[in-house]
């Protein structure tokens, strides 16, 4: 079965500091991995994806993620956090055997304090 | 460009009343369509997905049903709402290669 796990319910970071939101995956074969952000009472916004190629993927709003096959991880990172980055973040995997399904992690709430 | 519309944004319905939430996609053809439910602002539960007109796959047995009467229209329904149906409902679409794109969601409160 395809799945992703987000081990942290909440991450707190000071504005200007680097941030990391963790995600690990369990898939058969090579994964299609995604990160999304959700602001209160809104839909999910796509940030970035890994399909193939470079392990470091750059996305929207200065976010990037590093695909690590040996550790089965796809952590979301940003060099300098903004207060406006405070939101709920989801990692997701697309089922390569059933391209119709996306599986989402439980979400990590990021709090960036001034 | 592709857009997805979901309405209404908020809905308050009494227990036992029917439900109809609608989602439409523009700018693409034959998309995969999805309904998710998000409880308490956290994880997403896949309810239904559809790969074509009239083709519906249900992920979780429940009080809800879905229909796809047109290529870019996806409807979530219930004949009689339960209190436990309250939540934030999200529609999404994708094609065979891309990420999923989400609507803005419907906040359903069953009272």
């Amino acid at each position: 079965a395809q799945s992703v796990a987000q081990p942290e319910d909440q991450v707190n970071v000071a504005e200007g500091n680097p941030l990391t939101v963790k995600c690990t995956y369990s898939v058969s074969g090579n994964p299609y991995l995604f990160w999304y952000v959700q602001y209160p009472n809104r839909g999910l916004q796509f940030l970035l994806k890994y399909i193939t190629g470079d392990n470091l993927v750059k996305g929207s709003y200065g976010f990037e993620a590093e695909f690590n096959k040996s550790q089965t991880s796809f952590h979301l990172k940003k060099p300098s956090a903004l207060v406006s980055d405070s939101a709920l973040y989801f990692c997701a995997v697309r089922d390569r055997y059933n391209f119709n399904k996306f599986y989402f992690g439980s979400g990590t709430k990021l709090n960036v304090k001034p | 460009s592709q857009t997805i519309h979901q309405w209404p944004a908020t809905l308050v319905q009494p227990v036992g009343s029917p439900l109809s939430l609608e989602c439409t996609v523009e700018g693409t053809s034959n998309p995969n369509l999805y309904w998710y439910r998000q409880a308490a602002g956290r994880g997403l539960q896949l309810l239904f997905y559809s790969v074509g007109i009239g083709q519906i796959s249900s992920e979780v047995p429940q009080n809800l049903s879905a229909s796809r009467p047109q290529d870019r229209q996806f409807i979530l329904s219930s004949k009689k709402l339960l209190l436990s149906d309250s939540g934030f409902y999200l529609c999404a679409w994708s094609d065979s290669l891309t990420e999923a794109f989400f609507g803005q969601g419907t906040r359903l409160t069953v009272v």
Side-chain angles (χ1 to χ4, degrees), chain B residues 55-101:
Chain B
Q55 301 179 59
I56 308 295
S57 296
S58 174
E59 287 293 291
V60 181
Q62 58 207 314
N63 187 42
L64 302 169
S65 62
S67 62
R68 184 170 177 173
Q70 300 181 44
D71 181 46
R72 291 168 289 177
Q73 183 185 29
F74 205 25
I75 298 172
L76 183 68
S77 303
S78 174
K79 292 182 179 178
K80 291 185 178 181
L81 283 168
L82 306 172
L83 287 174
S84 58
D85 292 323
S86 294
F88 193 51
Y89 289 82
L90 291 159
C91 180
W93 77 272
S94 74
D95 65 20
S96 60
L97 298 175
T98 67
E99 58 274 21
F101 298 93

Side-chain angles (χ1 to χ4, degrees), chain B residues 44-57:
Chain B
L44 278 71
Q45 179 185 35
L46 178 61
L47 301 176
F48 301 95
Y49 68 93
S50 172
V51 301
I53 297 174
Q55 301 179 59
I56 308 295
S57 296

Side-chain angles (χ1 to χ4, degrees), chain A residues 16-55:
Chain A
N17 284 359
L19 69 88
T20 299
V21 182
K22 296 180 180 178
C23 172
T24 59
Y25 64 88
S26 175
V27 300
S28 302
N30 295 320
Y32 284 11
L33 294 163
F34 308 87
W35 274 103
Y36 288 83
V37 60
Q38 185 183 32
Y39 295 96
N41 295 311
R42 303 300 297 272
L44 275 68
Q45 296 179 32
F46 168 73
L47 285 177
L48 51 80
K49 64 183 174 185
Y50 173 81
I51 304 297
T52 186
D54 290 341
N55 290 339

